[in-house]
Amino acid sequence: QVHLVESGGGLVQAGGSLSLSCATSGLTFSRHAMGWFRQAPGKEREFVAGIDRSGHNTYYADSVKGRFTCSRDNAKDTVYLRLNSLKPEDTAVYYCAVDAHSYTILVPTTVTEYEYWGQGTQVTVAS
């Protein structure tokens, strides 16, 4: 059974930083691209960042490009998201997710392309 557990969320002042982690189990982690999404109240879940199987290629939403950094450690079956220069509009529940297919070349960027999800971690940025 696949499990994903996010951690590292919290309350931070605008301009601050947070580091999120997503520990996985029950899958061959290195075979799958991984994604980070977020969902603010009343809004749809949106793609934030993704990383390919090797960790060499990352992709970001325009709204976070240059501020967020996605990485992974295949030895620890864990994916990370570093959030810098946080803004109040970054406030949301952040989710990690596993690509529904293995060995994909391009990192998926839509919700439906991901199969397994974590429970989410709240990030709140105060102005």
Side-chain angles (χ1 to χ4, degrees):
Q1 192 170 4
V2 177
H3 285 105
L4 291 78
V5 180
E6 299 101 337
S7 60
L11 172 65
V12 64
Q13 294 294 316
S17 298
L18 285 172
S19 291
L20 308 184
S21 298
C22 172
T24 73
S25 61
L27 75 160
T28 307
F29 182 74
S30 62
R31 292 181 181 177
H32 295 271
M34 296 292 296
W36 285 95
F37 290 74
R38 67 187 181 187
Q39 188 166 18
K43 294 188 177 181
E44 293 187 352
R45 192 169 297 190
E46 64 175 358
F47 175 80
V48 173
I51 189 166
D52 70 357
R53 297 186 298 116
S54 69
H56 294 155
N57 295 295
T58 52
Y59 302 87
Y60 300 94
D62 288 342
S63 59
V64 307
K65 201 170 294 182
R67 300 188 296 121
F68 291 7
T69 302
C70 184
S71 60
R72 66 189 292 162
D73 186 339
N74 285 349
K76 296 183 178 179
D77 295 349
T78 300
V79 62
Y80 306 93
L81 187 67
R82 174 69 176 177
L83 294 67
N84 292 330
S85 303
L86 282 161
K87 305 175 182 180
E89 51 264 43
D90 294 319
T91 295
V93 177
Y94 283 70
Y95 301 89
C96 64
V98 180
D99 181 5
H101 301 95
S102 54
Y103 302 111
T104 53
I105 297 174
L106 297 178
V107 175
T109 60
T110 64
V111 170
T112 56
E113 294 177 286
Y114 287 83
E115 183 173 9
Y116 300 104
W117 296 81
Q119 82 288 350
T121 186
Q122 177 71 46
V123 171
T124 303
V125 184
S127 58

